[in-house]
């Protein structure tokens, strides 16, 4: 099922792809994915997530492009996305499932759930509720591999957070950012600079200084990213999220594309002879879907597909790299076809859906960003979004609109014969795209994917959890220590364990422990970050070794 990049869209279905695969019609792919000798070659994993992307969005993007997507070549199955408590998941538990192999609850990042009501999900013992569980990045790092996370949203957003941190709520950007800084990740590229600065943090810390002290080349423009030769890269390209791909040339030319960040990440991490793990997210398909904005959805699906192509080019040359691309959940219920086509769908040509969309030169966010306060340029703004030939009555209605974004998106959807069922997430299965030796296939649970990645890299997630996340209070008290949580600085809680004249201090969200014995203090580095879930501290085994 080789990619036919110059051919027109064929609309190959998942069922057809699986049928061809099962019959052995894999073309050149079969020889390309033969694994090298794992004893001689490092194993690499590139995990790619297009956030909030339903099958309807990828289908629309393919028709818009007019040819096959890079992902089409490696369509190999489907993924069930539900959370521990709902048929429709939030991004945080979805990321937790994809990164750790555990279903979790709404808004929870990298922790086990408290509530389990979905059929087939095993209940969690009370003592294990909200316990942090290791993700594939942490397991790979502990095994000596280089690691990276890339995102077009804030790097602290739910999905990249799920692959790099642990928090009771996805909105805890301060804690998530600090954990990412102290995780020792080699390549971090995306938005979210604000959460690294004193002005954007409740604790007033300057994490940019910490990043600099750890030897990163901190880059803030596409040009600086491209010319950097550092083994450790931190790209902070926007205060919050990066621009939509379609808007980037008109609004933020200094920002790199997702494909450029992906290639740079691969080039940097692949220098490690032990291999690497790289996480890549195309974040803002989800944001556009929430806004029912087909232009933003299409543009960022295609940008993500370009990044997948970069990953595949490397994987095919390397021969021992697993690439997985998947959506974490659906969003918006987008359909080609709406009430306009109830009777006409058998004879409605592709152009009736695509041509109205081709008129847009900016996303909904980009176009409305050009609107003057008095809305006097409404006609021009609507045209940027593809809405030309508006009547005087339509323009006046838009000027008076109390929900301008919603009304603009509805007008474009009507012209393009598109339907939306919601402004929220949806619960359907999503496509699984995978390439390389040991790649997953068929209909799988989202929790199956990290287990597959871990097995290919030769690491064990459960053993990594046991090594990195031990209940500090219980463990220190078994050794005769008295423990307390010091919240003198409420934004920086510290676990304190004391015995005789020895004091052990373990701050939350960092990877350090300070031991004071006989008035002498020494700070040591731990294997992973310390996590405080609001009730208990969890520390790495290395911290407990200080309790002699």
């Amino acid at each position: 099922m080789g990619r036919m990049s110059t051919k027109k869209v064929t609309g190959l279905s998942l069922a057809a792809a699986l049928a061809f695969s099962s019959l052995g019609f894999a073309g050149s792919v079969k020889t390309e994915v033969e694994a090298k000798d794992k004893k001689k070659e490092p194993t690499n994993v590139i995990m790619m997530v297009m956030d909030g992307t339903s099958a309807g969005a990828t289908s629309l993007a393919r028709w818009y492009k007019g040819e096959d997507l890079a992902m089409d070549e490696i369509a190999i199955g489907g993924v069930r996305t539900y959370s521990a408590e709902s048929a429709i998941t939030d991004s945080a538990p979805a990321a937790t499932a994809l990164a750790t192999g555990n279903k979790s609850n709404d808004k929870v990042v990298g922790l086990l759930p408290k509530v389990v009501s979905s059929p087939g999900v095993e209940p969690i013992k009370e003592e294990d509720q909200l316990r942090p569980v290791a993700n594939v990045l942490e397991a790979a790092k502990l095994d000596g591999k280089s690691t990276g996370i890339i995102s077009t949203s804030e790097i602290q957003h739910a999905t990249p957070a799920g692959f790099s941190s642990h928090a009771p709520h996805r909105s805890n950007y301060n804690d998530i950012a600090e954990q990412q800084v102290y995780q020792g990740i080699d390549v971090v590229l995306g938005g979210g600079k604000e959460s690294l600065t004193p002005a954007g943090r409740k604790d007033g810390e300057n994490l940019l200084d910490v990043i600099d002290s750890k030897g990163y080349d901190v880059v803030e423009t596409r040009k600086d990213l491209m010319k950097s030769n550092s083994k450790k890269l931190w790209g902070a390209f926007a205060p919050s999220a990066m621009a939509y791909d379609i808007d980037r040339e008109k609004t933020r030319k200094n920002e790199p594309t997702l494909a450029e960040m992906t290639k740079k990440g691969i080039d940097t991490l692949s220098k490690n002879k032990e291999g690497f793990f790289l996480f890549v997210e195309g974040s803002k398909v989800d944001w556009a879907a929430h806004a029912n904005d087909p232009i933003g959805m299409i543009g960022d699906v295609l940008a993500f597909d370009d990044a997948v192509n970069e990953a595949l080019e490397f994987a095919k040359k390397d021969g021992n790299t697993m690439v997985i691309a998947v959506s974490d959940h659906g969003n918006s219920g987008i359909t080609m076809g709406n009430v306009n086509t109830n009777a006409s769908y058998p004879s409605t040509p592709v152009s009736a859906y695509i041509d109205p969309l081709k008129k847009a030169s900016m996303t909904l966010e980009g176009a409305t960003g050009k609107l003057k306060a008095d809305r006097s340029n409404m006609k021009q703004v609507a045209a940027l979004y593809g809405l030309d030939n508006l009547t005087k009555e339509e323009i006046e209605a838009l000027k008076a609109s109390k929900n301008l974004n919603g009304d603009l998106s509805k007008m474009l959807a009507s012209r393009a014969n598109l339907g939306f069922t919601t402004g929220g997430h949806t619960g359907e299965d999503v496509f699984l795209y995978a390439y390389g030796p040991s790649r997953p296939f068929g209909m799988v649970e989202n929790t199956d994917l990290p287990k597959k990645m871990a097995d290919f890299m030769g690491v064990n997630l459960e053993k990594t959890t046991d090594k990195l996340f031990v209940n500090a209070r219980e463990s220190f008290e078994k050794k005769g220590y008295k423990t307390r949580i010091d919240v003198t600085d409420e934004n920086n809680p510290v676990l304190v364990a004391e015995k005789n004249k020895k004091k052990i201090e373990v701050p939350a969200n960092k990877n350090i422990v300070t031991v004071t014995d006989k008035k002498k203090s020494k700070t040591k580095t731990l294997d992973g970050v310390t996590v405080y879930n609001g009730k208990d501290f969890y520390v790495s085994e290395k911290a407990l070794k200080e309790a002699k």
Side-chain angles (χ1 to χ4, degrees):
M1 189 170 73
R3 183 184 179 209
M4 298 174 286
S5 60
T6 59
K7 289 193 176 184
K8 291 183 178 179
V9 175
T10 61
L12 184 64
S13 69
L14 174 59
L18 292 176
F20 273 90
S21 177
S22 66
L23 290 172
F25 296 113
S28 61
V29 175
K30 187 175 181 180
T31 57
E32 288 170 340
V33 299
E34 295 290 343
K36 294 179 182 179
D37 186 345
K38 290 186 180 181
K39 294 181 180 179
K40 296 180 181 179
E41 297 288 340
T43 54
N44 313 305
V45 170
I46 305 173
M47 175 59 169
M48 312 183 75
V49 174
M50 48 181 170
D51 200 293
T53 307
S54 302
T58 50
S59 297
L60 187 63
R62 186 188 298 108
W63 283 119
Y64 184 96
K65 183 180 181 182
E67 60 184 70
D68 290 351
L69 304 177
M71 291 182 286
D72 292 340
E73 176 186 350
I74 59 171
I76 202 165
V79 181
R80 302 177 69 187
T81 63
Y82 62 93
S83 73
E85 63 183 317
S86 176
I88 302 177
T89 187
D90 171 61
S91 288
T96 300
L98 291 169
T100 74
N102 295 275
K103 301 277 188 183
S104 197
N105 292 146
D106 183 42
K107 305 299 183 290
V108 174
V109 175
L111 308 177
L112 292 176
K114 290 182 68 176
V115 178
V116 176
S117 58
S118 294
V121 181
E122 294 186 7
I124 303 298
K125 296 179 181 178
E126 187 175 353
E127 61 268 26
D128 288 332
Q129 292 174 3
L130 296 184
R131 180 192 177 189
V133 278
N135 57 59
V136 282
L137 182 145
E138 289 168 324
K141 174 178 169 290
L142 206 58
D143 196 51
K145 294 181 182 293
S146 291
T147 58
I149 55 172
I150 296 172
S151 177
T152 54
S153 67
E154 300 94 330
I155 206 69
Q156 305 87 13
H157 211 254
T159 311
F163 282 81
S164 56
S165 65
H166 311 267
H169 201 286
R170 57 180 287 179
S171 65
N172 295 355
Y173 275 21
N174 279 223
D175 294 345
I176 291 166
E178 192 166 29
Q179 288 182 38
Q180 290 172 333
V181 167
Y182 283 89
Q183 278 281 24
I185 305 168
D186 299 282
V187 173
V188 181
L189 304 175
K193 180 182 176 182
E194 186 176 53
S195 293
L196 304 173
T197 64
R201 297 186 56 79
K202 294 178 181 178
D203 58 14
E205 292 186 31
N206 191 334
L207 292 183
L208 287 172
D209 285 348
V210 178
I211 293 168
D212 186 65
S213 72
K214 290 181 177 294
Y216 287 91
D217 184 5
V218 180
V219 294
E220 297 186 40
T221 65
R222 177 186 179 276
K223 181 180 179 180
D224 288 342
L225 175 68
M226 295 297 105
K227 72 180 183 180
S228 178
N229 293 313
S230 177
K231 293 181 179 180
K232 297 184 71 175
L233 268 172
W234 196 295
F237 302 111
S240 53
M242 296 175 67
Y244 282 106
D245 191 73
I246 285 179
D247 296 339
R248 185 174 48 81
E249 283 298 312
K250 296 181 179 66
T251 59
R252 304 187 206 168
K253 290 184 179 180
N254 63 320
E255 293 183 0
T257 66
L258 185 61
E260 289 170 338
M261 291 192 290
T262 299
K263 186 178 188 306
K264 188 66 173 183
I266 292 171
D267 290 346
T268 304
L269 299 176
S270 60
K271 296 173 184 177
N272 185 349
K273 64 180 181 179
E274 299 299 324
F276 68 87
F277 172 83
L278 174 63
F279 167 78
V280 178
E281 184 196 31
S283 317
K284 294 185 69 173
V285 184
D286 179 73
W287 297 25
H290 278 298
N292 286 179
D293 173 16
I295 305 304
M297 295 170 76
I298 290 168
D300 273 40
V301 166
L302 295 178
F304 180 84
D305 193 60
D306 288 341
V308 170
N309 192 52
E310 290 289 350
L312 287 176
E313 284 189 6
F314 172 82
K316 289 176 180 179
K317 292 177 182 177
D318 176 71
N320 219 26
T321 296
M322 176 190 289
V323 177
I324 296 176
V326 69
S327 177
D328 56 347
H329 53 77
N331 192 338
S332 81
I334 185 171
T335 57
M336 294 180 67
N338 59 15
V339 293
N340 297 347
T341 59
N342 279 351
S344 63
Y345 64 84
S347 58
T348 301
V350 172
S351 59
Y353 304 99
I354 301 303
D355 288 356
L357 302 176
K358 289 280 190 176
K359 294 181 179 181
S361 60
M362 298 192 80
T363 69
L364 185 60
E365 177 183 285
T368 55
K370 302 289 185 180
L371 188 65
K372 294 180 180 179
D374 62 0
R375 298 192 176 186
S376 59
N377 64 334
M378 180 62 73
K379 182 178 180 179
Q380 292 78 13
V381 167
L384 290 174
Y385 194 52
L387 296 169
D388 58 359
N389 300 318
L390 292 177
T391 65
K392 183 178 180 180
E393 290 75 19
E394 286 175 323
I395 293 173
E396 290 304 316
L398 288 174
K399 285 182 177 180
S401 174
K402 294 182 179 179
N403 181 15
L404 179 61
N405 283 16
D407 289 338
L408 286 169
S409 66
K410 286 177 182 177
M411 290 179 71
L412 183 60
S414 179
R415 290 191 178 194
N417 302 296
L418 302 179
F420 291 96
T421 63
T422 179
H425 294 182
T426 50
E428 74 272 23
D429 301 332
V430 296
F431 282 110
L432 169 64
Y433 307 91
Y435 175 89
S438 302
R439 67 195 183 281
F441 60 89
M443 179 60 71
V444 301
E445 294 280 355
N446 52 9
T447 51
D448 292 334
L449 298 179
K451 297 169 187 175
K452 196 74 174 178
M453 290 185 278
D455 183 63
F456 179 62
M457 291 189 291
V459 298
N460 185 292
L461 290 172
E462 290 184 2
K463 289 182 179 178
T464 304
T465 293
D466 291 341
K467 188 177 182 68
L468 294 183
F469 303 116
V470 182
N471 188 300
R473 185 190 300 272
E474 291 180 359
S475 300
F476 280 120
E477 289 181 357
K478 284 181 181 179
K479 294 176 178 288
Y481 282 74
K482 291 184 178 180
T483 65
R484 58 186 172 88
I485 297 175
D486 185 348
V487 289
T488 303
D489 180 351
E490 62 179 2
N491 295 309
N492 288 292
V494 179
L495 187 283
V496 180
E498 296 174 293
K499 181 180 179 182
N500 299 327
K501 294 183 179 180
K502 187 174 184 178
K503 179 162 66 171
I504 301 172
E505 297 172 284
V506 193
N509 305 316
K510 294 181 172 66
N511 67 333
I512 58 175
V513 57
T514 299
V515 181
T516 304
D517 194 6
K518 297 179 181 178
K519 297 183 179 182
K520 293 183 179 180
S521 293
K522 188 173 184 180
T523 299
K524 299 182 180 180
T525 302
L526 302 176
D527 293 324
V529 294
T530 295
V531 176
Y532 177 51
N533 66 5
K535 177 183 176 183
D536 294 311
F537 265 73
Y538 290 86
V539 301
S540 75
E541 287 183 333
K542 195 171 180 181
L544 300 177
K545 292 180 180 179
E546 301 301 324
K548 299 176 182 178

